[in-house]
Amino acid sequence: MIKRSRQGVGESTVDCVPVFQKPTHLWCGKESLIMDIRKTVFTKEIIEADEMGKPCDPTTRVAAIAIVQNPFAGIDQEDLSQLFDVGSKLGQSLAEELVKMLEGPPICYGKAALVGSSGAMEHGAAVLHPKLGKPVRQAVVGGKALMPSNHKVGGVGSSIDLPPGHKDEPWSFDHIDTMTLWVPDAPRADEIVLCIGMSDGTRALPRVGKGPNQS
């Protein structure tokens, strides 16, 4: 098994890292997935006025950002199911923490993934779409609406716009929002930045109508 050795400047580097290992214990009848998580970042903001300074009903927005190594960085891999399981595991643990951070019940949710430069956009799709949604819906108690998402490839310090939306009412214009997230030292070329966001209210002072124009 080849391991990554991050050396100093001018020293040699051995590429590829054993991100996913197969331990001896079992989980649900299958070998458990061990993820190499470099760090997890949580953010919380309480919005009490709009950009013009006009007061509004307070809304709390929270986000969890997990930086994990990408096992398929630099590899043309057809089967991305290992990343499906990353989404499932992180979706459960991070969503439960986010619900606790909110001031009120969760109303909006969204997800995003920023893939390091040696990966592909599809790696971000793989951690977000197949399995992440179910545990998040369980945590927010609902989730009739599609979970809004965004994914892209970017360099260290890049930002990603996470698009929260109402968890049960996809046409609720008041709850369509944007959270711009970034971590200064991520993603490295062989990493994925996985983001989950929630809020307990609308945008500040929404006033563009309550649904699609039927005229």
Side-chain angles (χ1 to χ4, degrees):
M1 184 174 292
I2 302 175
K3 295 187 177 181
R4 173 178 295 282
S5 175
R6 287 195 170 101
Q7 307 287 344
V9 176
E11 299 180 28
S12 62
T13 300
V14 180
D15 212 353
C16 289
V17 39
V19 181
F20 296 90
Q21 304 174 35
K22 293 184 177 180
T24 56
H25 63 281
L26 299 179
W27 180 81
C28 291
K30 298 181 179 180
E31 291 177 311
S32 297
L33 176 70
I34 292 182
M35 294 175 291
D36 190 346
I37 302 174
R38 179 156 68 88
K39 65 178 175 180
T40 306
V41 179
F42 292 89
T43 69
K44 178 177 181 177
E45 54 183 342
I46 300 175
I47 301 169
E48 301 182 84
D50 71 2
E51 294 82 356
M52 303 297 137
K54 187 174 181 179
C56 63
D57 293 334
T59 293
T60 303
R61 303 194 307 186
V62 295
I65 308 169
I67 294 93
V68 301
Q69 287 197 319
N70 181 359
F72 306 130
I75 300 173
D76 184 10
Q77 175 72 15
E78 184 68 24
D79 181 3
L80 301 179
S81 57
Q82 286 181 316
L83 292 177
F84 302 172
D85 294 332
V86 170
S88 176
K89 294 284 190 177
L90 289 176
Q92 179 178 359
S93 60
L94 298 181
E96 291 172 355
E97 290 297 322
L98 289 176
V99 171
K100 296 175 185 177
M101 292 171 61
L102 289 170
E103 299 297 316
I107 296 176
C108 301
Y109 59 9
K111 55 188 177 180
L114 179 59
V115 181
S117 59
S118 290
M121 187 185 295
E122 196 66 10
H123 299 161
V127 298
L128 294 182
H129 301 315
K131 292 187 176 182
L132 183 142
K134 182 177 180 180
V136 176
R137 287 182 171 87
Q138 292 174 339
V140 302
V141 188
K144 295 179 182 179
L146 182 70
M147 192 174 181
S149 65
N150 188 18
H151 43 77
K152 70 176 186 179
V153 175
V156 172
S158 296
S159 64
I160 184 88
D161 286 337
L162 184 150
H166 198 291
K167 64 186 177 71
D168 296 312
E169 301 294 338
W171 288 105
S172 179
F173 285 0
D174 290 357
H175 295 89
I176 297 173
D177 205 349
T178 300
M179 299 178 68
T180 300
L181 305 172
W182 74 92
V183 178
D185 64 346
R188 296 176 181 176
D190 62 349
E191 293 179 332
I192 298 174
V193 178
L194 172 65
C195 310
I196 301 173
M198 296 182 188
S199 74
D200 59 10
T202 68
R203 299 188 311 279
L205 303 175
R207 49 195 184 276
V208 296
K210 301 299 182 181
N213 191 335
Q214 299 297 322
S215 61

